[in-house]
Amino acid sequence: VQMLAIAPAKEVECRETIKKICDSFAVSPIARDVLETASAVSGKTGSDEPYFLGPAEGVGSTGYRSSWWTQFYCILWRSWLSVLKDPMLVKVRLLQTAMVATLIGSIYFGQVLDQDGVMNINGSLFLFLTNMTFQNVFAVINVFSAELPVFLREKRSRLYRVDTYFLGKTIAELPLFIAVPFVFTSITYPMIGLKAGATHYLTTLFIVTLVANVSTSFGYLISCASSSISMALSVGPPVVIPFLI
């Protein structure tokens, strides 16, 4: 579009460039093929009869040029590249998680199993849930809302299916949503003085990771159901709070 546009104050140069491009296309093999196809069709059908193009070469019975795995791989690779292009966001999220975990660990530091200690541990575990829930819901609540126009255009062009797009996007961001619960639990668990032992720690880490990823999926749900980022941000909190209660 930029090559064929007529720029202000450069009309003569732009028209000469466009003429060169059009002349080059006119003598190209593609132009000859198009002309032959058009001539053959007009000779067969006549000018008044409609002509419908056949399916594009390489398109299967499903209407897509590529297989499910090819679509999934390309979406996964593209989503992974978009994650890698913003390393500062990953660093900020991990640093934020470490700071919040240190703050919670400092407040509930060194609990003992008496009446007050049990109540404090109960409160700290609730903070585990609230932090993992809100942090992960709002981390992804704008993902699909922001990309909705691009997705709709590419979906209508039959470039990929909905399931390959969703799986590719979510799996590309999965390492971060495993790293965040790991950093959070590894800092708070020993500082609070929760039950010692590798089995107990791994059980807690597993549950916190599940909570984080369920919250992420819930954020995706809100993002998909919202027509804009502002609507997603408005709908998020009142929908999440009943589950916390």
Side-chain angles (χ1 to χ4, degrees):
V1 171
Q2 189 174 4
M3 286 295 296
L4 296 176
I6 307 255
K10 293 183 179 179
E11 286 86 353
V12 178
E13 296 175 18
C14 291
R15 291 186 189 282
E16 288 178 358
T17 303
I18 292 170
K19 188 175 184 305
K20 289 179 183 177
I21 294 173
C22 293
D23 291 343
S24 299
F25 174 76
V27 297
S28 66
I30 297 175
R32 287 196 295 271
D33 292 342
V34 170
L35 184 60
E36 290 173 4
T37 304
S39 301
V41 168
S42 62
K44 287 180 182 178
T45 62
S47 58
D48 295 332
E49 295 183 24
Y51 173 70
F52 298 99
L53 289 173
E57 184 179 349
V59 176
S61 58
T62 58
Y64 298 97
R65 287 179 180 272
S66 55
S67 64
W68 190 95
W69 285 108
T70 304
Q71 296 173 33
F72 172 71
Y73 172 77
C74 292
I75 294 292
L76 179 62
W77 178 244
R78 187 175 74 173
S79 303
W80 179 246
L81 286 180
S82 67
V83 172
L84 294 180
K85 284 179 181 176
D86 199 0
M88 183 57 66
L89 180 63
V90 176
K91 293 177 183 177
V92 167
R93 284 210 60 198
L94 293 176
L95 180 62
Q96 174 193 354
T97 302
M99 292 175 63
V100 172
T102 304
L103 178 63
I104 294 174
S106 302
I107 294 172
Y108 292 98
F109 185 78
Q111 296 299 317
V112 294
L113 287 178
D114 55 14
Q115 187 65 35
D116 292 336
V118 171
M119 295 294 292
N120 291 336
I121 289 173
N122 191 29
S124 68
L125 293 178
F126 183 71
L127 283 178
F128 272 51
L129 294 178
T130 55
N131 183 65
M132 285 295 102
T133 300
F134 281 102
Q135 182 178 352
N136 290 287
V137 165
F138 288 99
V140 300
I141 204 166
N142 65 333
V143 169
F144 291 113
S145 300
E147 294 189 4
L148 189 61
V150 177
F151 166 73
L152 291 176
R153 184 175 70 244
E154 294 179 342
K155 176 68 175 66
R156 290 178 186 134
S157 300
R158 309 291 286 175
L159 293 181
Y160 48 74
R161 309 164 196 265
V162 178
D163 54 349
T164 54
Y165 172 75
F166 182 80
L167 289 173
K169 285 286 294 179
T170 52
I171 293 176
E173 297 178 351
L174 188 61
L176 180 61
F177 295 120
I178 293 176
V180 166
F182 175 76
V183 171
F184 182 82
T185 308
S186 299
I187 294 174
T188 52
Y189 197 93
M191 289 185 70
I192 295 173
L194 298 176
K195 196 168 184 180
T199 304
H200 304 298
Y201 164 75
L202 292 175
T203 302
T204 306
L205 177 60
F206 177 68
I207 293 172
V208 172
T209 304
L210 282 181
V211 170
N213 283 275
V214 167
S215 303
T216 303
S217 298
F218 202 68
Y220 284 142
L221 171 64
I222 297 172
S223 181
C224 291
S226 303
S227 58
S228 64
I229 297 175
S230 57
M231 180 182 290
L233 292 173
S234 301
V235 170
V239 173
V240 169
I241 288 173
F243 290 97
L244 289 175
I245 294 174

